[in-house]
Amino acid sequence: MVVSFSVTNRVPKNRASLSTQQRRSEVLRAIVSDYISLQEPVGSKMLLDRHQLGVSSATIRNDMAALEQDGYITQQHASSGRIPTVKGYRHFVDGIHAVKPMSMPERRAILDFLEHGVDLEDVLRRSVQLLAQLTRQVAVVQLPDMRIGRVKHCELVHLSTHRLLVVLITDTGRVDQRNVDLGEPLAESDLPRVRDLVNHSVVGLTLEEACAKIASLAQEARSKTVPAELRPALIAVATVLMETMVERPNDRLILAGTPNIARVGELTPVLEALEEQVVVLKLLSGVRDMGIQVSIGEENEDEELRSASVISTGYGAENAVMGGLGVLGPTHLDYPGTMSKVTAVAHYVSRILAGE
């Protein structure tokens, strides 16, 4: 079941029975919620007008002063309201614990859009396009590392007497296509023989094992232990396959929604990090499971991301994480909504990869 997150206060309805700590926690959640919604400093009058806190304005001001002293909120100017700090956002995010099912139309719309992907890369491209549209932030997904899968099939397509298309498919759903230029012509009737030799050697093996096996097959062709009419094509196909297998396709990102944060001046370093990709790849490579992860501002290890929040999770099949998927945005982004949408999209990507 796909779920969305909501903020539940878990406090008694009778606020008079709240402890000071509970009341201040409720005040803090109200400040963070209002700042995320309005993106302007929050004052005591605003809190009293927008929330039924059940205490006097003097008590609210005292609570805000205590929260500021403890580092949960800060005041930009002497006469301004308060804004949350990273510590305040963290308290808010850690309080997001209750879940509720997504609506059927939302679930149907997500699945319908993703199911129209023609292959794994298209599904992932659609996933970030959808996330960027849903969250109005930057969405990013890491292409899976082919080395975690096994070769399912290698198809050869005859394009001309001097050119083939080789299609490598793994059991994780990864598909790589490469052209093979032939030095000598190959009869179309001989193509199945080359394909069978390749598949007999590599199907069921990991990429590392398959690379070693295909190298041995190429060596056999050079030593003339395969029919002469197949040797040039087999050597050419083996060379392209080895190049494909030793590449690191997980060192690639698909991005969507960059214009969504281009207008936020404080996120200029984030845009630069997105262009270089290294920082974001490092972040997504650290995703180890399907659980949601939230990294806020200064919690981010890399300096380029310390003005941003990152909400990420893993996607995959059969409990095996194939890559990371997430959203980057300002620290005042909508945490409950964004966490819900990242979780939902990752869930459906995983379902599609599992063939469900």
Side-chain angles (χ1 to χ4, degrees):
M1 179 180 67
V2 179
V3 297
S4 62
F5 293 78
S6 63
V7 179
T8 303
N9 289 330
R10 286 186 181 172
V11 296
K13 292 182 179 179
N14 181 6
R15 284 174 167 78
S17 66
L18 291 177
S19 68
T20 300
Q21 183 177 359
Q22 287 176 316
R23 187 186 65 246
R24 287 175 180 169
S25 180
E26 188 176 3
V27 169
L28 176 59
R29 282 191 289 268
I31 291 172
V32 176
S33 295
D34 284 356
Y35 186 72
I36 288 173
S37 175
L38 304 173
Q39 293 178 33
E40 63 180 52
V42 179
S44 58
K45 185 177 185 304
M46 180 187 296
L47 292 176
L48 288 170
D49 290 343
R50 290 172 58 88
H51 303 273
Q52 296 179 349
L53 297 172
V55 292
S56 67
S57 59
T59 300
I60 296 298
R61 286 194 295 272
N62 288 337
D63 287 341
M64 293 176 73
L67 289 169
E68 184 174 6
Q69 185 175 359
D70 290 340
Y72 290 101
I73 57 177
T74 187
Q75 192 173 26
Q76 293 177 311
H77 309 289
S79 59
S80 69
R82 269 69 164 187
I83 64 174
T85 62
V86 169
K87 186 177 179 180
Y89 283 123
R90 172 50 59 192
H91 180 89
F92 178 83
V93 169
D94 290 345
I96 299 173
H97 45 73
V99 296
K100 60 181 180 180
M102 294 187 71
S103 70
M104 185 59 70
E106 288 175 321
R107 294 160 61 185
R108 189 181 299 115
I110 293 173
L111 186 57
D112 182 66
F113 183 71
L114 295 179
E115 278 188 328
H116 281 82
V118 297
D119 55 27
L120 172 61
E121 186 162 336
D122 191 32
V123 170
L124 295 179
R125 193 173 301 281
R126 285 169 172 264
S127 73
V128 291
Q129 290 172 347
L130 181 61
L131 264 181
Q133 181 180 358
L134 291 173
T135 64
R136 299 186 181 277
Q137 306 297 341
V138 172
V140 57
V141 66
Q142 173 192 21
L143 289 176
D145 187 343
M146 283 186 65
R147 293 169 300 178
I148 67 173
R150 294 178 178 270
V151 177
K152 183 176 182 180
H153 183 68
C154 183
E155 185 58 59
L156 300 180
V157 180
H158 195 274
L159 300 178
S160 71
T161 55
H162 287 80
R163 174 168 285 194
L164 303 177
L165 175 68
V166 59
V167 183
L168 182 66
I169 305 170
T170 72
D171 60 1
T172 60
R174 175 78 185 181
V175 178
D176 259 58
Q177 302 181 18
R178 303 293 170 90
N179 287 330
V180 181
D181 292 318
L182 305 176
E184 299 181 24
L186 176 73
E188 191 169 357
S189 58
D190 288 331
L191 186 64
R193 299 168 65 192
V194 176
R195 182 184 59 223
D196 290 346
L197 282 170
V198 171
N199 279 291
H200 180 73
S201 295
V202 301
V203 168
L205 301 181
T206 66
L207 269 293
E208 185 176 354
E209 294 167 342
C211 190
K213 195 72 173 179
I214 206 72
S216 297
L217 184 61
Q219 187 59 41
E220 291 176 17
R222 292 188 180 93
S223 61
K224 302 180 180 181
T225 57
V226 298
E229 65 272 20
L230 305 182
R231 290 173 199 159
L234 186 57
I235 292 171
V237 169
T239 300
V240 170
L241 279 174
M242 285 188 288
E243 291 173 353
T244 302
M245 292 171 182
V246 299
E247 284 184 356
R248 300 191 60 186
N250 61 317
D251 283 355
R252 291 171 57 197
L253 294 175
I254 303 176
L255 303 173
T258 303
N260 289 335
I261 64 170
R263 63 184 181 274
V264 184
E266 71 212 49
L267 295 181
T268 299
V270 177
L271 289 173
E272 295 172 355
L274 290 172
E275 291 176 359
E276 295 178 1
Q277 295 199 356
V278 176
V279 170
V280 183
L281 274 168
K282 178 182 174 184
L283 184 72
L284 292 182
S285 296
V287 173
R288 292 287 180 264
D289 56 43
M290 307 295 188
I292 199 77
Q293 299 178 24
V294 182
S295 184
I296 305 169
E298 296 167 5
E299 295 176 352
N300 290 303
E301 185 177 324
D302 292 283
E303 186 175 351
E304 296 92 331
L305 300 181
R306 289 180 183 169
S307 59
S309 285
V310 183
I311 297 177
S312 60
T313 189
Y315 69 88
E318 298 181 359
N319 299 319
V321 174
M322 296 171 60
L325 177 150
V327 164
L328 292 85
T331 54
H332 57 260
L333 59 73
D334 172 14
Y335 289 97
T338 305
M339 292 165 68
S340 171
K341 290 157 188 171
V342 169
T343 301
V345 171
H347 172 86
Y348 280 122
V349 168
S350 298
R351 276 188 55 180
I352 292 169
L353 295 184
E356 297 180 11

